[in-house]
């Protein structure tokens, strides 16, 4: 069986930056085992499988090389980029994912793709796991938690850039990942995302975590529209807007590869 595959760099307008995702549009679902094997073979942070439900409406599933993921922003952006490119007259589509429900996506006139995600603002915790405290080289200023990750707030962006993780300790926090974040001089805030239990050492750009980061920093900075930067080696820029129980996250994307795989 041959399947078409696209590899897209998301949250960037430059190839080799942002976060790469593979997108495979299928007519019928493959077995979970086969989709996981394809994701392992692709060895990207995510492979998105997309099945059309009806006109302009799709179901989406995301697989890292380790496991199926409940919610992935950059692979949703990558899948949207592929669909909009194939259907240039379409400007708005809807994805459905079991863990998060409906996700609306719009192709904006300025080249950005805007995704509407649920607001997943984290809550402050005081009983901080030792694996988290000992697993980061810099002591947190504040720790919060939502259903995806621990949010470690630092005093300066230098702390975010310099902090190192003990991968074996951070793995012990599964099923939760760890995002470190601070206010920024050039942007409203920056972050880095560690997810050794679910995907890899460090994710280049993580759209889904900004559904928690954006409302967190909106409350701290008293502003609803924010510019974010994920400070990985590849790096990525995200435009965020908090609107009640929804978070709008926008980014650009570029095509890297278009081809076929045999399975």
């Amino acid at each position: 069986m041959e399947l078409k595959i696209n590899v897209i760099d998301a949250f960037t307008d430059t190839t080799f930056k942002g976060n790469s995702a593979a997108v495979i549009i299928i007519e019928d679902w493959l077995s979970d085992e086969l989709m996981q094997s394809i994701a392992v073979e692709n060895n990207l942070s995510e492979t998105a499988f997309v099945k059309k439900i009806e006109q302009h409406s799709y179901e989406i599933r995301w697989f890292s090389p380790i496991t199926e993921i409940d919610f992935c922003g950059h692979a949703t952006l990558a899948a949207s980029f592929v669909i909009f490119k194939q259907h240039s007259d379409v400007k708005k589509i809807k994805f459905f994912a079991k863990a998060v429900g409906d996700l609306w996506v719009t192709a904006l006139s300025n080249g950005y793709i805007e995704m509407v995600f649920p607001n997943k603002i984290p809550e402050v915790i005081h009983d901080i796991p030792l694996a988290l405290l000992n697993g980061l080289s810099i002591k947190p200023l504040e720790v919060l938690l939502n259903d995806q990750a621990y949010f470690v707030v630092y005093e300066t962006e230098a702390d975010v850039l310099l902090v190192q993780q003990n991968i074996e300790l951070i793995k012990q926090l599964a099923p939760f990942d760890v995002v470190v974040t601070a206010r920024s001089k050039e942007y409203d805030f920056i972050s880095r995302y560690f997810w050794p239990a679910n995907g890899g050492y460090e994710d280049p750009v993580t759209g889904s975590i900004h559904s928690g980061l954006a409302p967190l920093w909106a409350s701290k900075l008293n502003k609803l529209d924010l510019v974010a930067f994920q400070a990985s080696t590849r790096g990525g820029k995200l435009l965020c807007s908090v609107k009640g129980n929804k978070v709008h996250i926008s980014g650009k994307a570029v095509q890297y590869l278009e081809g076929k795989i045999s399975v």
Side-chain angles (χ1 to χ4, degrees):
M1 177 172 54
E2 282 194 340
L3 298 170
K4 291 183 179 180
I5 186 171
N6 287 271
V7 177
I8 308 298
D9 290 339
F11 292 116
T12 182
D13 56 5
T14 306
T15 309
F16 309 125
K17 297 291 185 181
N19 199 355
S20 297
V23 178
I24 298 174
I25 299 176
I26 52 180
E27 293 185 2
D28 297 297
W29 288 116
L30 310 174
S31 70
D32 290 1
E33 292 77 15
L34 180 54
M35 288 190 286
Q36 186 63 68
S37 294
I38 292 170
V40 172
E41 187 77 8
N42 288 340
N43 199 30
L44 299 170
S45 57
E46 243 84 35
T47 296
F49 295 89
V50 177
K51 179 180 180 294
K52 188 173 182 178
I53 301 172
E54 55 189 23
Q55 189 175 23
H56 311 324
S57 181
Y58 304 82
E59 187 171 357
I60 188 167
R61 295 175 68 181
W62 310 280
F63 287 78
S64 81
I66 295 176
T67 187
E68 184 171 7
I69 300 296
D70 285 343
F71 180 28
C72 178
H74 89 275
T76 303
L77 176 58
S80 304
F81 176 88
V82 172
I83 293 169
F84 287 137
K85 185 177 180 181
Q86 292 177 351
H87 306 280
S88 58
D89 58 322
V90 175
K91 300 302 178 184
K92 190 169 186 176
I93 58 176
K94 181 179 73 173
F95 290 107
F96 171 78
K98 289 181 180 179
V100 290
D102 292 336
L103 305 171
W104 290 95
V105 184
T106 304
L108 303 179
S109 58
N110 60 2
Y112 279 83
I113 294 174
E114 180 186 69
M115 303 172 289
V116 181
F117 291 160
N119 184 324
K120 291 180 171 283
I121 187 169
E123 296 183 357
V124 174
I125 62 169
H126 301 288
D127 187 15
I128 304 170
L130 285 176
L132 179 61
L133 292 173
N134 296 329
L136 297 173
S137 62
I138 300 175
K139 184 179 178 181
L141 183 67
E142 182 181 34
V143 178
L144 305 93
L145 178 67
N146 72 2
D147 61 2
Q148 181 176 349
Y150 289 96
F151 289 64
V152 175
V153 179
Y154 284 123
E155 187 172 353
T156 69
E157 58 184 321
D159 290 336
V160 172
L161 299 174
L162 294 173
V163 67
Q164 298 294 318
Q165 65 167 316
N166 180 318
I167 193 169
E168 295 305 321
L169 291 177
I170 298 302
K171 274 185 180 180
Q172 295 176 20
L173 299 170
F176 301 107
D177 301 316
V178 176
V179 60
V180 296
T181 185
R183 189 171 181 174
S184 171
K185 295 178 181 178
E186 183 176 355
Y187 307 93
D188 288 303
F189 65 91
I190 65 168
S191 66
R192 291 170 65 198
Y193 192 82
F194 305 134
W195 65 324
N198 292 304
Y201 183 80
E202 181 174 350
D203 197 36
V205 192
T206 315
S208 60
I209 202 61
H210 285 76
S211 64
L213 284 169
L216 170 63
W217 284 107
S219 65
K220 288 182 177 295
L221 302 177
N222 195 28
K223 59 187 301 188
L224 298 179
D225 298 318
L226 306 108
V227 180
F229 183 74
Q230 192 155 331
S232 65
T233 301
R234 290 173 64 99
K237 178 182 175 182
L238 308 91
L239 305 183
C240 307
S241 182
V242 180
K243 299 183 179 181
N245 65 352
K246 300 293 183 182
V247 178
H248 294 225
I249 298 174
S250 303
K252 292 187 175 182
V254 292
Q255 182 99 32
Y256 171 69
L257 178 148
E258 182 177 1
K260 294 180 179 179
I261 59 173
S262 298
V263 295

